[in-house]
Amino acid sequence: MQLNFRGLPALVTGAGKGIGRDTVKALHALGAKVVAVSRTDTDLVSLSKECPGIQTVCVDLADWDATERALGNVGPVDLLVNNAAVAPLQPFLEVTKEVFDRTFNVNLRSLVQVSQIVARGMIHRGVPGSIVHVSSMVAHVTLPNLSVYSSTKGAISVFTRAMAAELGPYKIRVNSVNPTVVLTAMGQKVLADPEIARKLKERHPLQKFAETEDVVNSILFLLSDRSASTSGSGILVDAGYLAS
Ligand code: NDP
């Protein structure tokens, strides 16, 4: 499936590491004009060297006002990937207000805010667009110590459908990708115990976790015209986990 995003303006959040970083690289290689948004400037500097010509924006997306200042006038965006997230581990009985607020602010509130900025721009310019939320299979199943994180992902499923319904008449499609574990920095932190990782992997029918590339390919498909009639959906990239 050869995709072409030549000249299309795209914005990716959480672009400094992991899935977001590889999404920027893929979009850049396929000709998109990418705005890479992340929290750590050194990550964005090294990404710029790998992808000459991208625009970078360094902001903590948990901060509503700073995000408005950084992205309020970001310019045209036709393709949006809401990927930034944090996954703190806390047993349900030990969930703190600080962790709850920060996780919801990064994973959910910033997704709403950035989507509003971008969708308003699309509607103002009268162009079609595609928005992809990077969610998780834990929107559908739970894993230990991830109740808050999983709740943000569950809420993303509802926002995906609500946004698809309200933005569809403007030719804006909204979908999510829902991966199982990917061994990025986040995945390695969540699955630091090798025995738990081994047992979890064995519960996947394909006997593996997902690769970053698998997730990026699904994101690219949903951004592209190849999914022109798909909106309000979530693609599982879960090595069959939910079928088991
Ligand atoms: P990583 O932790 O490897 O990368 C996350 C990126 O998001 C980093 O560049 C990070 O920057 C950035 N980010 C985090 N918080 C903020 C913030 N407040 N403002 C701006 N940028 C921020 O995560 P992954 O690549 O693994 O995860 C990407 C997406 O995939 C997430 O939505 C995650 O929930 C989802 N996912 C991941 C899975 C996994 O197992 N890895 C499984 C299923 C879904 P910095 O490091 O500077 O904070």
Side-chain angles (χ1 to χ4, degrees):
M1 182 177 63
Q2 190 57 43
L3 301 174
N4 184 353
F5 296 104
R6 194 148 301 284
L8 290 179
L11 189 150
V12 180
T13 70
K17 299 183 176 77
I19 294 165
R21 189 177 182 97
D22 281 6
T23 302
V24 170
K25 288 200 241 177
L27 283 168
H28 178 258
L30 292 168
K33 292 189 292 183
V34 186
V35 181
V37 182
S38 207
R39 205 177 57 91
T40 302
D41 198 41
T42 47
D43 288 341
L44 292 171
V45 170
S46 64
L47 183 59
S48 288
K49 287 187 183 137
E50 286 185 64
C51 304
I54 65 167
Q55 184 187 336
T56 60
V57 177
C58 189
V59 66
D60 179 354
L61 291 163
D63 183 334
W64 182 281
D65 294 336
T67 301
E68 196 58 44
R69 283 194 297 277
L71 294 178
N73 295 311
V74 71
V77 175
D78 292 1
L79 311 171
L80 169 62
V81 183
N82 283 308
N83 165 79
V86 289
L89 292 164
Q90 282 189 330
F92 170 72
L93 290 176
E94 293 167 27
V95 168
T96 59
K97 176 180 181 297
E98 288 68 29
V99 160
F100 184 95
D101 287 350
R102 177 144 187 100
T103 309
F104 267 82
N105 288 347
V106 177
N107 298 13
L108 188 65
R109 198 182 68 180
S110 83
L111 171 150
V112 172
Q113 184 184 19
V114 176
S115 296
Q116 283 180 335
I117 292 169
V118 166
R120 285 176 186 143
M122 290 168 178
I123 293 165
H124 181 71
R125 290 181 296 125
V127 297
S130 178
I131 297 174
V132 177
H133 304 318
V134 182
S135 182
S136 168
M137 76 171 185
V138 301
H140 306 292
V141 291
T142 59
L143 292 178
N145 304 324
L146 283 172
S147 61
V148 177
Y149 172 78
S150 304
S151 302
T152 66
K153 299 302 190 182
I156 287 172
S157 299
V158 179
F159 265 108
T160 301
R161 293 194 293 272
M163 289 170 63
E166 291 195 33
L167 300 177
Y170 301 101
K171 308 293 178 223
I172 300 170
R173 297 185 297 108
V174 186
N175 295 286
S176 71
V177 291
N178 296 64
T180 182
V181 175
V182 185
L183 290 175
T184 59
M186 178 188 286
Q188 288 173 24
K189 191 193 81 178
V190 168
L191 275 189
D193 182 329
E195 192 50 23
I196 292 177
R198 188 186 62 76
K199 283 186 182 150
L200 182 62
K201 194 185 281 188
E202 278 176 1
R203 286 180 57 190
H204 290 66
L206 292 177
Q207 304 283 297
K208 63 173 191 172
F209 297 136
E211 301 294 332
T212 304
E213 188 186 2
D214 303 330
V215 182
V216 172
N217 282 335
S218 291
I219 294 170
L220 297 178
F221 169 69
L222 289 171
L223 289 176
S224 79
D225 288 345
R226 301 296 171 102
S227 59
S229 297
T230 303
S231 197
S233 288
I235 295 185
L236 288 169
V237 187
D238 71 342
Y241 190 86
L242 260 72
S244 65

